[in-house]
Amino acid sequence: MFQRKLCRKNLHSLIKYPSSICSSAFYSFCSKPPNLNAIKLNGCFKSFGFLSSITGFYLNSHQLCVPKGPNFVGNPVVYPSFTRNYCSGRNGEGGPGEWTEEIEYLDESGSVIYSGKGIRSVEPGLDDHVMVGGLKKPFLNAVAVAKIVEVVKRWKWGPELETQLDKLQFVPNMTHITQALRVIKDSDMSLSLFRWAKRQLWYLPSDECYATLFDGLNQSKDFDGIQSLFDELVHDSSDNGISSFSAYNQVIQYLAKAEKLEVSFCCFKKILDSGCKIDIQTYNSLITLFLNKGLPYKAFEIYGSMEAAGCSLDGSTYELMIPSLAKSGRLDAAYKLFQEMKEKNFRPGFNIFSSLVDSMGKAGRLDTSIKVHMEMQGYGLRPSASMYVSLIESHVKAGKLDTALRLWDEMKKAGFRPNFGLYTLIVESHAKSGKLDIAMSAFTDMEKAGFLPTPSTYCCLLEMHAGSGQVDSAMKLYNSMTDAGLRPGLSTYTSLLSLLAKKKLVDVAAKILLEMPPWSVGKSM
């Protein structure tokens, strides 16, 4: 529909030369004040409808001044009948709220542009629609949200913002507020809008609204604001009995990720006390936080609550929880979670296998340790050198030397070089068990690898060879030891001298006696 706005100049031109439109009707109007509510808008009076429409407001919202006569001399006659009628039905001084007559909209030449009932204005805070003739046209949500966002972004905060929000030409609802908060995003402006909404009669606590606010506060890193708003949420939820599942869990997750340990745990306890359900992601974020902070027992406490609630861990939390349980000695719980993880088709990582192998081995549960080790290889994971060391040590200490030796050979085939401690362990354990050939083979490899055996290793081998009557091997070890600048202990001298005496090698025994330190000679005598 074509419309043009008339300025004051055009308005006076239209009144000054009424004959161009309908002079007789105009003079009749001016000579005798009519009943404006009964007038059928025809002729020149249609131009008033035209004027009221195209200027963007209705003339009946103001008093209309009309001259007394055609010569326009004297004081104007004021007709207060033109007053605004609202959609709500509230009347001004002009009459009823229903419009029954049609209005013709004219252009400047007097031609009809459009004929129909007018669009009435709305009253702020009361109307939720506009009237187009006899039809109610509701405000679209998108229009309402856009208007709220426009007002908030312009006035930002403070009394002026609240004044402008009070003047909105529609009654908002919580859907409008929540959608506006998503668009605004700025935490300060969002909170200002939310505080205003809370004071309105139509306000209802909304889980979605709170969740949107928490998201904005988290993005701005305002964790004090999150804590303060959380207290409001608890109060609102208890007073109105609403479910705040999303908002509650969101708060704990944000605080846990920010490593706010005490605050997040406090909020967690409040939610448990309120009887609200906690989701898996929230439990996992808290467990992860406490484990990363070196507080496994607190994490186990949360895990206990999680089990009681029937929730299960996710993949990343399994990766943290199982090693922590294993290292703390709770092997049954760790292994149970390990089995549960596989049943849920989560792929265990290397850290889980390594911790289980090490902990089970140290606890003497060697069968389980080997089983996990082999299962790890089934997943395509390659054991590390430290894992081999742990396995070999646990089997040696348990006296299972055959398995230890098999693992020893497997370790070398995998390309790992045994360390000094592992060489010493293999040599001494096999020597003490009487497996001197294996012990000497490992001892020779140890020397070739560049490791200097300790006196205890030499003495162990020497004494075991002396005890078995192997003079040549015993003397070879003795010479190797002295060449390295090491001296045997008293027990080793005693074992060697006893062997030489049994074999009647007096000259060799005398030579060794001369090489013995003075302090040891007296003791051996």
Side-chain angles (χ1 to χ4, degrees), residues 239-261:
D239 286 353
N240 297 279
I242 64 166
S243 173
S244 302
F245 175 79
S246 298
Y248 273 145
N249 286 280
Q250 212 167 350
V251 169
I252 297 177
Q253 291 170 31
Y254 288 149
L255 293 173
K257 288 177 182 177
E259 297 187 346
K260 304 292 182 180
L261 191 145

Side-chain angles (χ1 to χ4, degrees), residues 85-90 120-123 127 129-131 136:
N85 290 317
Y86 295 110
C87 295
S88 60
R90 290 183 58 183
R120 278 178 287 170
S121 55
V122 297
E123 186 167 11
D127 295 317
H129 62 275
V130 293
M131 293 291 294
K136 289 184 178 182

Side-chain angles (χ1 to χ4, degrees), residues 114-241:
Y114 173 75
S115 177
K117 292 185 178 181
I119 300 176
R120 278 178 287 170
S121 55
V122 297
E123 186 167 11
L126 290 179
D127 295 317
D128 59 356
H129 62 275
V130 293
M131 293 291 294
V132 180
L135 299 176
K136 289 184 178 182
K137 296 289 185 181
F139 286 98
L140 296 177
N141 278 347
V143 176
V145 171
K147 184 61 180 176
I148 293 172
V149 171
E150 176 191 347
V151 170
V152 173
K153 287 190 173 181
R154 180 177 180 184
W155 301 101
K156 296 186 178 9
W157 58 276
E160 190 60 37
L161 170 63
E162 296 184 3
T163 300
Q164 296 300 322
L165 289 171
D166 289 336
K167 292 180 181 179
L168 289 173
Q169 294 184 329
F170 56 90
V171 180
N173 56 45
M174 290 309 297
T175 300
H176 297 152
I177 299 301
T178 302
Q179 292 178 358
L181 291 174
R182 288 175 179 168
V183 177
I184 294 168
K185 293 183 179 178
D186 181 274
S187 59
D188 291 333
M189 290 191 286
S190 296
L191 284 172
S192 297
L193 174 59
F194 178 71
R195 303 288 183 219
W196 173 80
K198 283 194 75 173
R199 292 193 291 272
Q200 308 308 308
L201 295 176
W202 43 262
Y203 171 77
L204 285 174
S206 164
D207 183 33
E208 188 178 5
C209 181
Y210 272 107
T212 305
L213 285 169
F214 285 129
D215 185 54
L217 290 169
N218 178 62
Q219 291 179 7
S220 61
K221 308 298 181 185
D222 185 4
F223 299 110
D224 291 335
I226 289 178
Q227 187 178 357
S228 175
L229 190 63
F230 175 80
D231 293 335
E232 285 188 43
L233 172 60
V234 173
H235 182 72
D236 261 2
S237 300
S238 60
D239 286 353
N240 297 279

Side-chain angles (χ1 to χ4, degrees), residues 96-113:
E98 292 292 331
W99 284 6
T100 58
E101 305 299 337
E102 287 194 351
I103 297 176
E104 291 184 356
Y105 298 88
L106 310 179
D107 61 14
E108 291 179 348
S109 65
S111 300
V112 176
I113 301 173

Side-chain angles (χ1 to χ4, degrees), residues 503-516:
K503 297 296 183 180
K504 299 181 180 181
L505 297 173
V506 180
D507 294 340
V508 179
K511 181 177 178 294
I512 291 175
L513 280 172
L514 292 173
E515 293 175 356
M516 288 176 64

